[in-house]
Amino acid sequence: MKTLHLTSLGCAKNLVDSELMLGALELSGWRAVADPAEAELLLVNTCGFIRPAVEEAVDEILRLAELKQADPAKKLVVTGCLVQRYGKDLQAELHEVDLFVGIDDQQRLPELISRLPEGKNGLILHQPSCALISSAMPRRLSTPFFRSWMKITEGCDNRCTYCMIPTIRGNLRSRPAADLVTEARALEQAGVKELCLIAQDLTAYGSDFSSSLAAMLRLLLKETSLPWMRLLYLYPASVTDELLELMAAQPRLVPYLDIPLQHVSSRVLQRMNRRYGRQELEQLICRIRRLIPGCALRTTMMVGFPGETEHDVEELLDCLQRWQLDHVGVFPYEDEEGAPAADFQPKVPDEVKQERFERVMALQAEISQTRLQRYVGSEVEVLVEGVSEETELLLEGRTRFQAPEIDGCVYINEGEASPGDIVKVRIAEAHIYDLVGGIIG
Ligand code: SF4
């Protein structure tokens, strides 16, 4: 069999694309190996969303190019967001790469690789991207068997002034609900217990064909028995009461919402071209807490956006203090070439951005620990991930309030369980981001 090594960079949405490429390549007789030195084909699925991701991708390409230099029979193929964003520049600069493939042609990889001419530094790119994945595509899951990502849309119709995603991934395309049901059923049959629904903006689902996220979720709930379904990345202005009421009524939709707010200052949000202000956010938090008491909330905040003042940061800290959100990711703003905000003035100096970043992080660490304290003494459902990465003496799992790969976890110090089991755990301790407890019964 022909051997390949795949490096998947960036987010879970990109990982789904990687799994689909692997599925297509395996069907054509390729076998994935962990060691790139043993592979005939070196494939990199890149992220190109922000500057650090671009740097990471280029570093990885150069690392693999060294292996190819030592063994010129190897082929090096690069795909993903970086190619979609900078394809021609990459082709001009990185002669070590045999082929650059844009997002829309990833499913053609087996055919493209089979006729890869010696030493050709080719580029296959369609812009704007308009492809859409489907359940008919073979997929090799790379997550543990009991959880999976399901990408429900591609692209984005929002035009946030700091973001290049619409340029890279194109406008919104939603997958048909029936196709999502087919995929969710197949995943359930494969043993998946937790299905994480992902998109650039989950709430936009169906707006391109007069449907809605709530309508699609109703169908998924009816047609599958998946015990945990998690919604990640909701646009704040589009979180409807209909959706919140459905979540409140359906325990299989875990009470967890990931809503990137980006900021709270109406002035900053307007410059970001977000379609809401501080007042709408106050109302949103109230609505969620009223309709789904105990719902865990995750968000991301950006500090140092051009024109952000000390007053804006005070407003942000004040809201975080009052809202007591469970999980907050904080990012210092960076100019992105081609994004409107790159031309906005005045810029916030790097050291000020860093200082603001640290203040928000420090406050959230205190809040997170206080939030987790409320679980001490209670019994919670935990999906067991397996033996802890910290020590073999503990198991590790997650509650319905902790998303995979981003939030904290539960360390289980009593009882036995296998990966994929959903067990009852009595929580005994709360740390800054993690919980500790023992299995009951
Ligand atoms: S909603 Fe998200 S993906 Fe879409 S433009 Fe805004 S930041 Fe980018």
Side-chain angles (χ1 to χ4, degrees):
M1 279 181 118
K2 302 165 281 186
T3 51
L4 80 110
H5 173 83
L6 171 62
T7 309
S8 189
L9 302 172
C11 64
K13 296 170 286 263
N14 217 34
L15 183 68
V16 170
D17 292 345
S18 294
E19 292 175 343
L20 292 167
M21 280 186 272
L22 261 188
L25 286 161
E26 283 186 351
L27 205 65
S28 303
W30 290 87
R31 178 173 61 87
V33 293
D35 183 358
E38 286 173 15
E40 294 160 65
L41 169 67
L42 304 170
L43 178 60
V44 191
N45 189 16
T46 57
C47 172
F49 176 43
I50 50 174
R51 189 178 49 81
V54 171
E55 288 168 4
E56 184 191 18
V58 172
D59 286 350
E60 178 64 10
I61 295 166
L62 294 176
R63 184 180 79 86
L64 295 172
E66 278 177 23
L67 286 178
K68 181 178 154 68
Q69 207 172 18
D71 177 3
K74 287 188 192 308
K75 297 291 175 203
L76 177 53
V77 175
V78 177
T79 182
C81 291
L82 190 70
V83 177
Q84 206 65 33
R85 186 171 178 186
Y86 291 122
K88 289 210 172 77
D89 297 340
L90 294 170
Q91 187 185 27
E93 295 290 326
L94 296 171
H95 299 281
E96 306 89 331
V97 175
D98 294 285
L99 184 63
F100 295 96
V101 179
I103 292 163
D104 288 20
D105 290 283
Q106 288 176 339
Q107 281 297 301
R108 290 177 57 219
L109 268 175
E111 165 213 336
L112 295 171
I113 291 165
S114 71
R115 51 188 174 84
L116 202 60
E118 282 296 321
K120 188 168 175 234
N121 171 240
L123 170 66
I124 303 212
L125 181 60
H126 288 95
Q127 282 173 319
S129 173
C130 59
L132 188 58
I133 63 172
S134 98
S135 62
M137 296 174 180
R139 179 175 171 192
R140 162 67 61 192
L141 294 183
S142 57
T143 43
F145 71 91
F146 48 84
R147 63 175 164 87
S148 179
W149 312 102
M150 185 164 79
K151 183 155 62 163
I152 66 168
T153 70
E154 189 55 89
C156 184
D157 280 351
N158 298 320
R159 292 294 181 268
C160 306
T161 53
Y162 52 82
C163 180
M164 289 301 290
I165 287 289
T167 311
I168 298 172
R169 290 267 169 183
N171 286 337
L172 173 76
R173 289 93 75 193
S174 304
R175 294 175 58 188
D179 188 51
L180 295 174
V181 167
T182 305
E183 178 168 346
R185 278 187 180 152
L187 291 168
E188 185 180 354
Q189 273 169 15
V192 168
K193 302 252 179 87
E194 177 178 11
L195 186 66
C196 293
L197 275 59
I198 52 175
Q200 310 296 347
D201 166 9
L202 216 68
T203 53
Y205 177 83
S207 58
D208 45 344
F209 46 69
S210 304
S211 183
S212 71
L213 178 61
M216 185 274 286
L217 288 172
R218 274 194 207 95
L219 192 68
L220 270 188
L221 286 160
K222 183 165 157 266
E223 299 293 336
T224 73
S225 310
L226 290 152
W228 287 16
M229 284 188 251
R230 192 181 296 280
L231 310 184
L232 299 173
Y233 324 132
L234 293 97
Y235 192 86
S238 313
V239 178
T240 61
D241 280 359
E242 184 192 14
L243 176 66
L244 297 177
E245 281 161 6
L246 181 67
M247 287 184 75
Q250 295 285 348
R252 289 165 55 208
L253 292 175
V254 298
Y256 177 104
L257 288 167
D258 181 344
I259 309 178
L261 305 179
Q262 308 302 8
H263 215 289
V264 306
S265 153
S266 299
R267 206 180 58 82
V268 175
L269 289 165
Q270 193 181 21
R271 281 166 67 87
M272 289 177 166
N273 198 29
R274 305 283 285 181
R275 301 187 308 273
Y276 52 90
R278 158 88 176 264
Q279 205 182 345
E280 286 79 14
L281 292 183
E282 300 275 8
Q283 288 164 356
L284 173 65
I285 303 294
C286 276
R287 275 196 299 133
I288 296 171
R289 295 256 156 90
R290 178 168 47 85
L291 292 170
I292 319 176
C295 182
L297 285 171
R298 160 170 279 282
T299 194
T300 45
M301 294 292 187
M302 193 186 287
V303 290
F305 191 76
E308 183 193 58
T309 62
E310 185 54 32
H311 181 264
D312 296 320
V313 181
E314 292 295 334
E315 205 178 332
L316 175 55
L317 291 166
D318 171 63
C319 284
L320 288 179
Q321 185 65 269
R322 284 187 299 105
W323 294 345
Q324 297 281 299
L325 306 180
D326 299 82
H327 314 277
V328 179
V330 189
F331 299 93
Y333 165 82
E334 295 263 359
D335 279 340
E336 277 310 315
E337 191 185 359
D343 296 326
F344 289 3
Q345 298 293 339
K347 301 292 184 208
V348 175
D350 283 348
E351 60 279 10
V352 177
K353 267 191 242 171
Q354 185 61 24
E355 185 266 334
R356 290 175 181 176
F357 167 80
E358 283 166 17
R359 268 157 73 201
V360 179
M361 288 291 284
L363 172 64
Q364 187 54 35
E366 281 171 31
I367 294 171
S368 172
Q369 190 165 24
T370 312
R371 295 290 290 166
L372 285 183
Q373 283 295 337
R374 74 191 197 281
Y375 297 119
V376 174
S378 66
E379 293 174 14
V380 291
E381 252 187 13
V382 170
L383 175 57
V384 177
E385 292 267 349
V387 174
S388 166
E389 285 177 9
E390 302 292 317
T391 161
E392 280 180 14
L393 302 174
L394 298 174
L395 288 173
E396 205 173 295
R398 286 175 298 102
T399 65
R400 291 146 60 87
F401 310 106
Q402 293 166 319
E405 297 179 16
I406 186 144
D407 297 333
C409 68
V410 181
Y411 293 109
I412 301 171
N413 57 8
E414 240 182 271
E416 286 180 14
S418 301
D421 286 352
I422 294 178
V423 294
K424 273 262 159 68
V425 170
R426 180 170 290 118
I427 301 299
E429 292 170 36
H431 297 267
I432 295 182
Y433 298 114
D434 304 311
L435 296 163
V436 181
I439 295 173
I440 302 166

